[in-house]
Amino acid sequence: MILVLLLTILVLIVSTPNKGKASDCKDGYWIRSKSDDGEIIILNDGSVWQALLTVDTMLWMRLDKVIICNLRGTDFATMINIDEDAEKADVKRLK
């Protein structure tokens, strides 16, 4: 059931037009740490991200699995937490 939901979300993300810029989604990431307010998220690969809105990310947990869908040619992406009902957050890569 979760796999079907995840695949459906990925299809929607990839097929949604975004002003001429294609997105590139990658999985295999998990949250290594984050700030208490959810603004700064550090992933297992050492990348550092800033959430543009923290309503959902403040509740995300260490070790939650995420998918990153980069907006090609920019430092912006959508982070999808597959351990939290596929909650999404727009993020900016800081490092």
Side-chain angles (χ1 to χ4, degrees):
M1 179 69 181
I2 292 175
L3 181 59
V4 172
L5 176 64
L6 178 60
L7 290 174
T8 302
I9 291 168
L10 284 175
V11 168
L12 289 173
I13 290 170
V14 172
S15 65
T16 302
N18 51 16
K19 300 180 185 174
K21 301 262 187 187
S23 62
D24 182 23
C25 296
K26 295 181 181 173
D27 64 357
Y29 297 105
W30 46 268
I31 298 172
R32 187 170 75 191
S33 63
K34 70 171 194 67
S35 59
D36 289 338
D37 63 2
E39 183 177 5
I40 303 298
I41 301 167
I42 301 172
L43 299 182
N44 59 305
D45 67 346
S47 61
V48 180
W49 300 83
Q50 177 183 20
L52 304 182
L53 291 174
T54 61
V55 173
D56 290 324
T57 59
M58 68 188 322
L59 301 175
W60 291 5
M61 305 293 287
R62 184 177 175 272
L63 303 180
D64 279 354
K65 295 175 190 142
V66 296
I67 296 171
I68 301 293
C69 295
N70 289 325
L71 190 58
R72 287 190 194 145
T74 73
D75 291 329
F76 293 93
T78 297
M79 188 176 291
I80 304 168
N81 187 327
I82 59 176
D83 286 338
E84 289 292 330
D85 297 325
E87 291 177 346
K88 294 190 286 186
D90 291 325
V91 293
K92 179 181 180 186
R93 187 174 183 143
L94 301 178
K95 177 180 166 195

